[in-house]
Amino acid sequence: MKSYQFKFWHYGLLLTLVVGAYASYNLTADDKSLFITGEPTHGHHQIELACTSCHTDGFSGEESIQQSCLSCHAEELELADDSHPRKKFLDPRNAQLLETLDARQCISCHTEHKQQITREMGVSLAGDFCFHCHSEIAEERSSHEGMGFETCASAGCHNYHDNGTLYEDFLIAHVGQPDLLEEAKLPTRTAMQSWLQEHPDTHPLQVQQADIQEETAAAEIAAAWAQSPHAQVDVNCSSCHANGQMQFTSAEVVEQCASCHSEQRESFTQGKHGMRLSSKLPQEFVQQVGAMTPHQAWIPMQSDASGELSCTSCHGPHDVDLQFAAVESCLSCHSDEHSLAYKESPHFNTWQADPENGVSCASCHLPRETHGEQVVVNHNQNHNLRPNEKMLPVCLNCHGAEFSLAAMADEKLISQNFKHKPADKHETFDLIRDRIARISKSKNKQTQSQ
C-alpha cells in the first residue's frame, strides 16, 4: 500500500512539474492561451492569441476595451450612420435605461469568450433585448401589436447599428419596384481608366513573342505579365522585385502591393481574409502567427485548399486575371452550400454570358463602390455579409427593394444561392403600404376640413 501511495505521489509531482514548466515557458514566451476562458466569437477567432489587440491595458478596464473595439469598428459604424451611437446614451434623459443595459459599452452586448450564450453577430444578449428600451412600441404603433421582441432583427425589419436600407422613408420611396429593374447593371470599375487619364505619357510595356526564346518558367511569367494591367501601366519586374528579392512572405506581398494599392490593402486587412495582416494588430503577433489559411476557417473549405491568404491568393502575381479572381479563386477554397450552388444559379449564367457585367462571387462579396469620382472594389469581403440586409446596396443595382429584402430574409434561398425567386413576400412592405394608406387618409381629412 505504501509503495502504491509513493508511486502515486511521485507521478503526481512529476505531472505538476511538467505542467508548471510548460506554463512557465508559455508565459515567458508571451503565450497567454492559458488565460483564455472560452472560445472567441466567429469574428475574432483568427486573432484570439493577440490578447493585446483588445486588452491594451492589461486584463482590466472597460474603457480600454471600448477603445480597442472602436479602433477596428469605429469607421464602419460611422459609415453606417449608427442608429444607436454612444452619444445617444450620454443624454441624461436616457440615464434610467442604462441601469438595465449599459448601451454605451460594446461589451454590454458583445461579451467575448462566451460561446454558450453567443448568437449571430457576436451578440451575447437574449434575442429580445430590444424590450429594455422599447417595451411600449405596440402602444405607440398599432402595426407592431402581437410581434415578439425576438423578431425585431430576425424578421429583417431592424438592425441595431445600421438601418440604412430599412428605415421608413427609404422603404416608402422603393415600394412597388419591379423584381428586375429595367436598367439592371453593376457599376463599372473606373480605377484603371482614371489612372491612365492622370498619366497620359504612360506607354504600355511590350514583350514580343520573338523576345521569348525558351519555354522556361521565366518566359511563361514574362508572357503572362505582358498581357496584364501591370504591363499596361508601366509596372515592370523591378517595381516589385527590388534588390532582386524573389520570395515574399504573405505580409511582404500585401505591403508590396500596397505601394500602389493602398486603399485595397486597407479594406483587405479589415476583412477575414486579411485581418491577421492588419497594421492595427501587434506586429509581433503578425510575425509569429502569419496570415490566415483555409484550414483554419470555421466554415467548410475544400480539402485541397492550402496556403496563406494574401493578394496573390486570388490575383496571380504576374497575370492578374480578374475573371479568375471573381469566381474560381473563391470556389477553390469555399465548399459551403451557398458557394457550391453558385454554378447552378441564374447569377452564374449572367457572368458566363458577360464576365465584366455579370454577377460573380466578387460582385456581391467584394462590391464595387463609388468613392468620389471613382468606382473601386471593396476588398473587405465581410463588409456587407452580416446582417443580410447589408447586401441590399448591391442587390438594388439590379432588383427592386421588395424582391431583394424577401430574398435576403429567405435562409433556404440563400443556401441555394438564389436559384429561384423568393418563396414569400416580405411582410415589412405590407406594413409600409398600410402606413402610406394611413398617411394619405389623414391628408385627405385635413384637405376636407379646410
Side-chain angles (χ1 to χ4, degrees):
M1 184 67 179
K2 289 183 179 180
S3 175
Y4 172 78
Q5 289 177 337
F6 175 78
K7 287 182 179 179
F8 182 80
W9 176 85
H10 177 75
Y11 288 130
L13 176 61
L14 180 62
L15 181 61
T16 301
L17 290 173
V18 170
V19 172
Y22 174 75
S24 298
Y25 169 77
N26 280 349
L27 293 177
T28 303
D30 291 329
D31 182 353
K32 303 297 190 297
S33 58
L34 289 175
F35 294 115
I36 296 177
T37 58
E39 287 190 353
T41 60
H42 63 83
H44 293 153
H45 77 93
Q46 293 188 31
I47 58 171
E48 65 173 320
L49 295 182
C51 302
T52 55
S53 60
C54 296
H55 300 281
T56 57
D57 197 20
F59 288 87
S60 62
E62 287 187 356
E63 193 58 38
S64 65
I65 295 178
Q66 176 71 12
Q67 292 307 312
S68 297
C69 298
L70 295 177
S71 68
C72 289
H73 300 287
E75 182 180 352
E76 183 178 7
L77 291 173
E78 184 177 353
L79 289 173
D81 192 18
D82 187 6
S83 51
H84 289 83
R86 191 170 188 264
K87 63 183 180 181
K88 175 179 288 188
F89 300 98
L90 296 177
D91 188 327
R93 291 171 295 181
N94 292 326
Q96 186 177 356
L97 299 176
L98 301 179
E99 295 178 3
T100 304
L101 179 65
D102 189 353
R104 298 170 300 176
Q105 306 295 333
C106 299
I107 58 174
S108 296
C109 301
H110 304 279
T111 303
E112 193 57 84
H113 302 300
K114 299 289 185 182
Q115 274 288 1
Q116 67 275 18
I117 61 171
T118 300
R119 303 180 298 104
E120 286 191 1
M121 306 300 299
V123 175
S124 50
L125 294 176
D128 60 354
F129 65 88
C130 297
F131 171 81
H132 295 300
C133 297
H134 301 282
S135 59
E136 299 177 356
I137 188 64
E139 298 175 15
E140 298 170 0
R141 291 200 173 191
S142 58
S143 59
H144 285 60
E145 287 182 8
M147 293 184 180
F149 283 92
E150 74 282 357
T151 68
C152 297
S154 61
C157 298
H158 302 285
N159 291 327
Y160 183 86
H161 289 296
D162 182 5
N163 269 336
T165 50
L166 293 176
Y167 66 97
E168 193 171 84
D169 289 346
F170 174 88
L171 296 174
I172 288 175
H174 290 79
V175 71
Q177 287 184 316
D179 292 352
L180 183 65
L181 302 181
E182 185 176 348
E183 294 292 330
K185 186 178 181 182
L186 293 169
T188 302
R189 290 181 297 236
T190 61
M192 174 69 81
Q193 292 82 354
S194 298
W195 194 93
L196 291 173
Q197 289 175 3
E198 295 172 3
H199 302 79
D201 297 330
T202 298
H203 300 289
L205 298 175
Q206 301 292 332
V207 174
Q208 302 299 329
Q209 189 63 37
D211 296 333
I212 304 174
Q213 302 296 333
E214 302 178 14
E215 289 298 323
T216 62
E220 291 178 7
I221 289 173
W225 165 84
Q227 304 301 318
S228 74
H230 283 160
Q232 187 177 358
V233 297
D234 202 8
V235 174
N236 59 24
C237 305
S238 60
S239 300
C240 300
H241 298 280
N243 302 319
Q245 182 179 0
M246 303 303 292
Q247 299 295 326
F248 299 89
T249 66
S250 295
E252 289 173 334
V253 168
V254 172
E255 286 306 309
Q256 183 64 55
C257 296
S259 62
C260 292
H261 304 283
S262 58
E263 189 171 352
Q264 287 76 8
R265 185 273 303 272
E266 187 65 25
S267 58
F268 173 72
T269 56
Q270 289 173 349
K272 290 186 179 180
H273 285 164
M275 66 187 298
R276 278 191 177 182
L277 302 176
S278 172
S279 59
K280 296 177 181 179
L281 291 175
Q283 290 309 294
E284 59 271 18
F285 169 81
V286 174
Q287 295 170 5
Q288 177 185 356
V289 178
M292 183 66 174
T293 62
H295 79 268
Q296 294 170 328
W298 281 13
I299 58 177
M301 291 286 167
Q302 301 286 358
S303 59
D304 59 350
S306 61
E308 294 187 341
L309 299 184
S310 70
C311 308
T312 55
S313 300
C314 301
H315 301 285
H318 302 108
D319 56 4
V320 198
D321 186 342
L322 297 181
Q323 303 311 321
F324 175 84
V327 172
E328 295 305 331
S329 63
C330 306
L331 299 183
S332 65
C333 287
H334 291 275
S335 64
D336 56 281
E337 188 176 358
H338 175 81
S339 299
L340 295 178
Y342 169 70
K343 289 191 174 181
E344 302 297 324
S345 72
H347 284 160
F348 175 69
N349 294 336
T350 68
W351 183 77
Q352 274 197 312
D354 184 356
E356 176 59 29
N357 297 306
V359 182
S360 66
C361 306
S363 301
C364 299
H365 298 290
L366 300 177
R368 302 174 187 182
E369 299 177 341
T370 302
H371 293 187
E373 297 182 355
Q374 290 192 14
V375 176
V376 297
V377 174
N378 185 341
H379 283 69
N380 175 357
Q381 97 295 340
N382 55 281
H383 167 69
N384 62 353
L385 194 59
R386 303 173 77 174
N388 293 343
E389 293 80 15
K390 290 184 72 174
M391 189 68 72
L392 278 176
V394 177
C395 304
L396 294 177
N397 286 306
C398 301
H399 298 285
E402 293 193 56
F403 179 93
S404 301
L405 264 177
M408 288 294 102
D410 191 333
E411 294 292 340
K412 184 177 180 180
L413 185 60
I414 293 174
S415 68
Q416 296 173 342
N417 212 308
F418 310 104
K419 191 174 182 178
H420 51 75
K421 290 185 176 183
D424 300 307
K425 295 291 185 179
H426 201 288
E427 188 179 356
T428 295
F429 282 93
D430 291 334
L431 298 177
I432 289 298
R433 273 184 272 272
D434 288 343
R435 177 73 169 162
I436 293 174
R438 288 197 302 272
I439 292 174
S440 177
K441 186 176 181 180
S442 175
K443 287 183 177 179
N444 288 337
K445 283 185 176 181
Q446 290 179 2
T447 301
Q448 292 173 0
S449 64
Q450 292 175 355

Short mmCIF file of all heavy atoms in Angstrom, two decimals, residues 8-49:
data_model
loop_
_atom_site.label_atom_id
_atom_site.label_comp_id
_atom_site.label_asym_id
_atom_site.label_seq_id
_atom_site.Cartn_x
_atom_site.Cartn_y
_atom_site.Cartn_z
N PHE A 8 2.06 6.95 -6.65
CA PHE A 8 1.02 7.93 -6.99
C PHE A 8 1.51 9.35 -6.74
O PHE A 8 1.37 10.23 -7.58
CB PHE A 8 -0.24 7.65 -6.17
CG PHE A 8 -1.37 8.57 -6.50
CD1 PHE A 8 -2.17 8.36 -7.61
CD2 PHE A 8 -1.64 9.68 -5.69
CE1 PHE A 8 -3.21 9.23 -7.91
CE2 PHE A 8 -2.66 10.54 -5.99
CZ PHE A 8 -3.45 10.31 -7.11
N TRP A 9 2.15 9.52 -5.56
CA TRP A 9 2.68 10.85 -5.21
C TRP A 9 3.80 11.24 -6.17
O TRP A 9 3.90 12.38 -6.62
CB TRP A 9 3.20 10.81 -3.77
CG TRP A 9 3.86 12.10 -3.36
CD1 TRP A 9 3.26 13.20 -2.86
CD2 TRP A 9 5.27 12.40 -3.42
NE1 TRP A 9 4.17 14.19 -2.61
CE2 TRP A 9 5.42 13.72 -2.95
CE3 TRP A 9 6.39 11.69 -3.83
CZ2 TRP A 9 6.67 14.34 -2.87
CZ3 TRP A 9 7.63 12.30 -3.76
CH2 TRP A 9 7.76 13.62 -3.29
N HIS A 10 4.61 10.27 -6.53
CA HIS A 10 5.75 10.51 -7.42
C HIS A 10 5.27 10.96 -8.80
O HIS A 10 5.76 11.96 -9.35
CB HIS A 10 6.59 9.22 -7.53
CG HIS A 10 7.74 9.36 -8.49
ND1 HIS A 10 8.88 10.06 -8.18
CD2 HIS A 10 7.92 8.89 -9.77
CE1 HIS A 10 9.73 10.02 -9.21
NE2 HIS A 10 9.17 9.30 -10.18
N TYR A 11 4.29 10.23 -9.35
CA TYR A 11 3.77 10.60 -10.67
C TYR A 11 3.01 11.92 -10.63
O TYR A 11 3.06 12.72 -11.57
CB TYR A 11 2.85 9.50 -11.20
CG TYR A 11 3.58 8.25 -11.61
CD1 TYR A 11 3.17 7.00 -11.16
CD2 TYR A 11 4.70 8.31 -12.45
CE1 TYR A 11 3.84 5.84 -11.53
CE2 TYR A 11 5.38 7.17 -12.82
CZ TYR A 11 4.95 5.94 -12.36
OH TYR A 11 5.62 4.81 -12.73
N GLY A 12 2.33 12.18 -9.52
CA GLY A 12 1.64 13.46 -9.36
C GLY A 12 2.60 14.61 -9.34
O GLY A 12 2.38 15.66 -9.96
N LEU A 13 3.70 14.44 -8.64
CA LEU A 13 4.72 15.50 -8.58
C LEU A 13 5.33 15.73 -9.96
O LEU A 13 5.54 16.88 -10.38
CB LEU A 13 5.80 15.11 -7.57
CG LEU A 13 7.01 16.07 -7.46
CD1 LEU A 13 6.53 17.45 -7.01
CD2 LEU A 13 8.04 15.51 -6.49
N LEU A 14 5.61 14.62 -10.66
CA LEU A 14 6.20 14.73 -11.98
C LEU A 14 5.27 15.48 -12.93
O LEU A 14 5.69 16.36 -13.69
CB LEU A 14 6.49 13.33 -12.53
CG LEU A 14 7.11 13.27 -13.94
CD1 LEU A 14 8.47 13.97 -13.94
CD2 LEU A 14 7.26 11.82 -14.40
N LEU A 15 3.96 15.14 -12.87
CA LEU A 15 2.98 15.81 -13.73
C LEU A 15 2.91 17.30 -13.40
O LEU A 15 2.84 18.15 -14.29
CB LEU A 15 1.61 15.17 -13.54
CG LEU A 15 0.46 15.75 -14.38
CD1 LEU A 15 0.76 15.59 -15.86
CD2 LEU A 15 -0.86 15.07 -14.03
N THR A 16 2.93 17.63 -12.11
CA THR A 16 2.90 19.03 -11.69
C THR A 16 4.10 19.80 -12.22
O THR A 16 3.98 20.93 -12.70
CB THR A 16 2.86 19.13 -10.15
OG1 THR A 16 1.71 18.44 -9.67
CG2 THR A 16 2.81 20.59 -9.71
N LEU A 17 5.26 19.17 -12.15
CA LEU A 17 6.48 19.83 -12.62
C LEU A 17 6.44 20.04 -14.14
O LEU A 17 6.83 21.11 -14.64
CB LEU A 17 7.71 18.97 -12.25
CG LEU A 17 8.05 18.91 -10.77
CD1 LEU A 17 9.17 17.90 -10.53
CD2 LEU A 17 8.46 20.29 -10.26
N VAL A 18 5.92 19.04 -14.86
CA VAL A 18 5.84 19.17 -16.32
C VAL A 18 4.88 20.28 -16.71
O VAL A 18 5.19 21.14 -17.55
CB VAL A 18 5.40 17.83 -16.96
CG1 VAL A 18 5.07 18.03 -18.44
CG2 VAL A 18 6.48 16.79 -16.80
N VAL A 19 3.67 20.28 -16.10
CA VAL A 19 2.67 21.31 -16.40
C VAL A 19 3.20 22.68 -16.00
O VAL A 19 3.04 23.67 -16.72
CB VAL A 19 1.34 21.01 -15.68
CG1 VAL A 19 0.38 22.18 -15.84
CG2 VAL A 19 0.71 19.74 -16.24
N GLY A 20 3.83 22.76 -14.85
CA GLY A 20 4.38 24.04 -14.39
C GLY A 20 5.45 24.56 -15.31
O GLY A 20 5.51 25.75 -15.62
N ALA A 21 6.32 23.64 -15.77
CA ALA A 21 7.38 24.06 -16.69
C ALA A 21 6.79 24.55 -18.00
O ALA A 21 7.23 25.56 -18.56
CB ALA A 21 8.34 22.89 -16.94
N TYR A 22 5.75 23.83 -18.48
CA TYR A 22 5.10 24.22 -19.74
C TYR A 22 4.46 25.60 -19.60
O TYR A 22 4.59 26.46 -20.46
CB TYR A 22 4.06 23.18 -20.12
CG TYR A 22 3.23 23.56 -21.32
CD1 TYR A 22 3.75 23.48 -22.61
CD2 TYR A 22 1.91 24.01 -21.16
CE1 TYR A 22 2.99 23.83 -23.71
CE2 TYR A 22 1.15 24.36 -22.26
CZ TYR A 22 1.71 24.26 -23.53
OH TYR A 22 0.95 24.62 -24.62
N ALA A 23 3.75 25.79 -18.48
CA ALA A 23 3.10 27.07 -18.24
C ALA A 23 4.11 28.19 -18.12
O ALA A 23 3.93 29.28 -18.68
CB ALA A 23 2.25 27.00 -16.97
N SER A 24 5.21 27.93 -17.42
CA SER A 24 6.24 28.95 -17.25
C SER A 24 6.84 29.32 -18.59
O SER A 24 7.07 30.48 -18.90
CB SER A 24 7.35 28.44 -16.32
OG SER A 24 6.82 28.18 -15.04
N TYR A 25 7.05 28.29 -19.44
CA TYR A 25 7.61 28.55 -20.76
C TYR A 25 6.66 29.41 -21.59
O TYR A 25 7.04 30.38 -22.22
CB TYR A 25 7.88 27.25 -21.49
CG TYR A 25 8.20 27.45 -22.95
CD1 TYR A 25 9.46 27.91 -23.36
CD2 TYR A 25 7.23 27.21 -23.94
CE1 TYR A 25 9.74 28.12 -24.70
CE2 TYR A 25 7.50 27.42 -25.27
CZ TYR A 25 8.77 27.87 -25.65
OH TYR A 25 9.03 28.08 -26.96
N ASN A 26 5.37 29.03 -21.55
CA ASN A 26 4.38 29.76 -22.33
C ASN A 26 4.28 31.21 -21.88
O ASN A 26 4.20 32.13 -22.69
CB ASN A 26 3.01 29.10 -22.22
CG ASN A 26 2.89 27.91 -23.15
OD1 ASN A 26 3.74 27.71 -24.00
ND2 ASN A 26 1.85 27.11 -22.97
N LEU A 27 4.26 31.43 -20.57
CA LEU A 27 4.14 32.79 -20.06
C LEU A 27 5.37 33.60 -20.41
O LEU A 27 5.29 34.77 -20.75
CB LEU A 27 3.93 32.76 -18.54
CG LEU A 27 2.60 32.15 -18.09
CD1 LEU A 27 2.55 32.12 -16.56
CD2 LEU A 27 1.42 32.93 -18.63
N THR A 28 6.53 32.94 -20.35
CA THR A 28 7.76 33.64 -20.72
C THR A 28 7.76 33.98 -22.20
O THR A 28 8.26 35.02 -22.62
CB THR A 28 8.99 32.75 -20.39
OG1 THR A 28 8.95 32.41 -19.02
CG2 THR A 28 10.28 33.48 -20.72
N ALA A 29 7.17 33.09 -23.01
CA ALA A 29 7.14 33.30 -24.46
C ALA A 29 5.95 34.16 -24.90
O ALA A 29 5.60 34.19 -26.07
CB ALA A 29 7.09 31.95 -25.16
N ASP A 30 5.30 34.81 -23.95
CA ASP A 30 4.16 35.68 -24.23
C ASP A 30 2.96 34.92 -24.79
O ASP A 30 2.13 35.47 -25.49
CB ASP A 30 4.55 36.80 -25.22
CG ASP A 30 5.48 37.80 -24.57
OD1 ASP A 30 5.37 38.00 -23.35
OD2 ASP A 30 6.34 38.37 -25.28
N ASP A 31 2.87 33.63 -24.51
CA ASP A 31 1.70 32.84 -24.90
C ASP A 31 0.69 32.90 -23.77
O ASP A 31 0.89 32.34 -22.70
CB ASP A 31 2.12 31.40 -25.15
CG ASP A 31 0.94 30.53 -25.61
OD1 ASP A 31 -0.21 31.05 -25.60
OD2 ASP A 31 1.15 29.37 -25.97
N LYS A 32 -0.41 33.64 -24.01
CA LYS A 32 -1.41 33.85 -22.96
C LYS A 32 -2.61 32.91 -23.10
O LYS A 32 -3.67 33.17 -22.56
CB LYS A 32 -1.90 35.31 -23.02
CG LYS A 32 -0.79 36.35 -22.89
CD LYS A 32 -0.10 36.26 -21.53
CE LYS A 32 0.84 37.43 -21.31
NZ LYS A 32 1.95 37.49 -22.26
N SER A 33 -2.44 31.81 -23.85
CA SER A 33 -3.57 30.92 -24.10
C SER A 33 -4.15 30.33 -22.82
O SER A 33 -5.33 29.98 -22.78
CB SER A 33 -3.16 29.79 -25.05
OG SER A 33 -2.07 29.05 -24.51
N LEU A 34 -3.34 30.22 -21.76
CA LEU A 34 -3.85 29.68 -20.51
C LEU A 34 -4.89 30.59 -19.86
O LEU A 34 -5.68 30.15 -19.03
CB LEU A 34 -2.69 29.45 -19.52
CG LEU A 34 -1.74 28.29 -19.87
CD1 LEU A 34 -0.59 28.25 -18.89
CD2 LEU A 34 -2.47 26.97 -19.86
N PHE A 35 -4.90 31.87 -20.25
CA PHE A 35 -5.84 32.81 -19.66
C PHE A 35 -7.19 32.83 -20.38
O PHE A 35 -8.13 33.44 -19.91
CB PHE A 35 -5.26 34.22 -19.67
CG PHE A 35 -4.06 34.39 -18.78
CD1 PHE A 35 -2.81 34.69 -19.31
CD2 PHE A 35 -4.18 34.24 -17.41
CE1 PHE A 35 -1.72 34.85 -18.49
CE2 PHE A 35 -3.08 34.39 -16.59
CZ PHE A 35 -1.84 34.70 -17.12
N ILE A 36 -7.27 32.21 -21.57
CA ILE A 36 -8.50 32.26 -22.35
C ILE A 36 -9.57 31.43 -21.66
O ILE A 36 -9.38 30.25 -21.39
CB ILE A 36 -8.25 31.75 -23.78
CG1 ILE A 36 -7.27 32.68 -24.50
CG2 ILE A 36 -9.56 31.66 -24.56
CD1 ILE A 36 -6.91 32.23 -25.89
N THR A 37 -10.70 32.05 -21.38
CA THR A 37 -11.76 31.40 -20.59
C THR A 37 -12.79 30.67 -21.45
O THR A 37 -13.66 30.00 -20.93
CB THR A 37 -12.50 32.45 -19.74
OG1 THR A 37 -13.04 33.46 -20.60
CG2 THR A 37 -11.55 33.10 -18.75
N GLY A 38 -12.70 30.83 -22.76
CA GLY A 38 -13.65 30.17 -23.65
C GLY A 38 -13.34 30.53 -25.09
O GLY A 38 -12.51 31.40 -25.37
N GLU A 39 -14.00 29.86 -26.02
CA GLU A 39 -13.76 30.13 -27.43
C GLU A 39 -14.19 31.55 -27.80
O GLU A 39 -15.17 32.06 -27.27
CB GLU A 39 -14.51 29.13 -28.31
CG GLU A 39 -13.92 27.73 -28.30
CD GLU A 39 -14.56 26.85 -29.36
OE1 GLU A 39 -15.54 27.30 -29.99
OE2 GLU A 39 -14.06 25.74 -29.56
N PRO A 40 -13.48 32.18 -28.73
CA PRO A 40 -13.85 33.54 -29.16
C PRO A 40 -15.04 33.49 -30.12
O PRO A 40 -15.50 32.41 -30.50
CB PRO A 40 -12.59 34.02 -29.89
CG PRO A 40 -12.00 32.75 -30.45
CD PRO A 40 -12.28 31.68 -29.42
N THR A 41 -15.54 34.63 -30.51
CA THR A 41 -16.63 34.70 -31.48
C THR A 41 -16.09 34.41 -32.88
O THR A 41 -14.88 34.42 -33.12
CB THR A 41 -17.27 36.09 -31.48
OG1 THR A 41 -16.26 37.06 -31.82
CG2 THR A 41 -17.84 36.43 -30.12
N HIS A 42 -17.01 34.18 -33.81
CA HIS A 42 -16.62 33.88 -35.19
C HIS A 42 -15.82 35.02 -35.80
O HIS A 42 -15.01 34.82 -36.70
CB HIS A 42 -17.86 33.59 -36.05
CG HIS A 42 -18.79 34.75 -36.17
ND1 HIS A 42 -18.62 35.76 -37.08
CD2 HIS A 42 -19.90 35.08 -35.47
CE1 HIS A 42 -19.58 36.66 -36.95
NE2 HIS A 42 -20.38 36.27 -35.98
N GLY A 43 -16.06 36.25 -35.33
CA GLY A 43 -15.37 37.40 -35.90
C GLY A 43 -13.96 37.61 -35.37
O GLY A 43 -13.16 38.31 -36.00
N HIS A 44 -13.64 36.99 -34.24
CA HIS A 44 -12.35 37.24 -33.60
C HIS A 44 -11.48 36.00 -33.46
O HIS A 44 -10.38 36.09 -32.93
CB HIS A 44 -12.57 37.85 -32.21
CG HIS A 44 -13.16 39.21 -32.22
ND1 HIS A 44 -13.90 39.72 -31.19
CD2 HIS A 44 -13.15 40.19 -33.17
CE1 HIS A 44 -14.31 40.95 -31.48
NE2 HIS A 44 -13.87 41.25 -32.68
N HIS A 45 -11.94 34.86 -33.94
CA HIS A 45 -11.19 33.63 -33.66
C HIS A 45 -9.80 33.64 -34.29
O HIS A 45 -8.88 33.00 -33.79
CB HIS A 45 -11.98 32.40 -34.13
CG HIS A 45 -11.94 32.17 -35.61
ND1 HIS A 45 -11.02 31.34 -36.22
CD2 HIS A 45 -12.74 32.63 -36.61
CE1 HIS A 45 -11.24 31.31 -37.52
NE2 HIS A 45 -12.28 32.08 -37.78
N GLN A 46 -9.62 34.40 -35.38
CA GLN A 46 -8.31 34.45 -36.02
C GLN A 46 -7.25 35.12 -35.15
O GLN A 46 -6.06 34.84 -35.29
CB GLN A 46 -8.39 35.20 -37.34
CG GLN A 46 -9.20 34.51 -38.41
CD GLN A 46 -9.05 35.25 -39.73
OE1 GLN A 46 -8.01 35.85 -40.01
NE2 GLN A 46 -10.08 35.22 -40.54
N ILE A 47 -7.69 36.01 -34.27
CA ILE A 47 -6.73 36.82 -33.52
C ILE A 47 -6.84 36.58 -32.02
O ILE A 47 -6.44 37.43 -31.22
CB ILE A 47 -6.92 38.32 -33.82
CG1 ILE A 47 -8.34 38.76 -33.49
CG2 ILE A 47 -6.60 38.62 -35.28
CD1 ILE A 47 -8.55 40.27 -33.57
N GLU A 48 -7.37 35.42 -31.62
CA GLU A 48 -7.62 35.19 -30.20
C GLU A 48 -6.34 35.23 -29.36
O GLU A 48 -6.39 35.55 -28.17
CB GLU A 48 -8.33 33.86 -29.98
CG GLU A 48 -7.52 32.63 -30.36
CD GLU A 48 -8.23 31.34 -29.97
OE1 GLU A 48 -8.83 31.31 -28.89
OE2 GLU A 48 -8.21 30.38 -30.76
N LEU A 49 -5.19 34.91 -29.95
CA LEU A 49 -3.95 34.92 -29.17
C LEU A 49 -3.24 36.27 -29.21
O LEU A 49 -2.21 36.45 -28.57
CB LEU A 49 -3.01 33.82 -29.67
CG LEU A 49 -3.54 32.39 -29.47
CD1 LEU A 49 -2.51 31.37 -29.96
CD2 LEU A 49 -3.88 32.14 -28.00
#
